[in-house]
Amino acid sequence: MVSTVEEAERRVRDFYGGRQASPRILACLGDRCYRRIGGGGERGVAVLNRAVMLSPDGVNPVIASHEMSHVELHARLVTDDAVPQWFDEGLAVLVSGDPRYLAPETAADRCLVSTDARLPVTLDAWLRAAGADARTYAKAACRVSRWVTASGGSHAVLDLVRRLNAGEAFGAVTKM
């Protein structure tokens, strides 16, 4: 467990150039434990910018860093609705390097599934879309990965956060 959290923290720290968030980590090695702390069928969940809950299937660096990325992003943003849900999820996939949804870092284009279609903006819409189409995470990850690459790397996300906190709109900053 300790090595899982350390690796997840490293991934988040490396991407963001440090960490501002220090979420509590609640990890369960059994389904009963996970249900008792409020978990459902997911592998993990970020609880606001305060905690990360990991199910027995989520006790690994990929899922832990995915959820920690959500916490880190929201700890840095002034308002929680500054970015659309698809961007938040795609960014978490990118930070975690989840091989289910992205090609390895060595690939010229990390996209496994590309789309120009509109992606879910709200959490409710995201949950419906991701429940109906397993490729939703890959689509969001592709769009975010291509934007980060075209914008010069992970420092573009820090600049995005700075500009959003200064009151600029997401679409105006990213041209997405």
Side-chain angles (χ1 to χ4, degrees), residues 77-125:
L77 290 169
V78 172
T79 59
D80 280 336
D81 62 351
V83 297
Q85 192 67 34
W86 67 262
F87 186 87
D88 192 351
E89 294 293 348
L91 182 60
V93 170
L94 182 62
V95 171
S96 71
D98 196 326
R100 295 173 299 168
Y101 308 120
L102 282 174
E105 282 187 58
T106 55
D109 182 0
R110 298 191 69 192
C111 292
L112 298 179
V113 180
S114 180
T115 184
D116 291 329
R118 183 173 146 89
L119 292 168
V121 173
T122 66
L123 178 58
D124 287 341

Side-chain angles (χ1 to χ4, degrees), residues 2 12 25 29 36 41 46 52 57-59 62-63 68 91 107 114 122 125 129 135 140 144 146-147 152 170 173 176:
V2 171
V12 172
I25 309 296
L29 301 179
R36 193 171 48 241
V52 167
D57 293 333
V59 179
V62 171
I63 302 302
M68 289 173 146
L91 182 60
S114 180
T122 66
R135 300 173 308 156
V144 172
R146 285 181 176 165
W147 177 81
F170 177 82
V173 175
M176 294 173 110

Side-chain angles (χ1 to χ4, degrees), residues 17 26 33 45 50-51 54 60 70 73 81 100-101 118 120 127 140-141 150 153-154 157 166 170-171:
L26 304 163
C33 166
V45 65
R50 295 191 182 118
L54 299 173
N60 64 68
H70 290 308
L73 177 63
D81 62 351
R100 295 173 299 168
Y101 308 120
R118 183 173 146 89
L127 293 172
S154 62
V157 174
F170 177 82

Side-chain angles (χ1 to χ4, degrees), residues 42-59:
E42 68 281 336
R43 292 181 182 187
V45 65
V47 182
L48 304 172
N49 60 357
R50 295 191 182 118
V52 167
M53 294 177 10
L54 299 173
S55 78
D57 293 333
V59 179

Side-chain angles (χ1 to χ4, degrees), residues 144-162:
V144 172
S145 175
R146 285 181 176 165
W147 177 81
V148 167
T149 298
S151 300
S154 62
H155 74 274
V157 174
L158 300 176
D159 186 53
L160 170 66
V161 167
R162 181 188 59 75

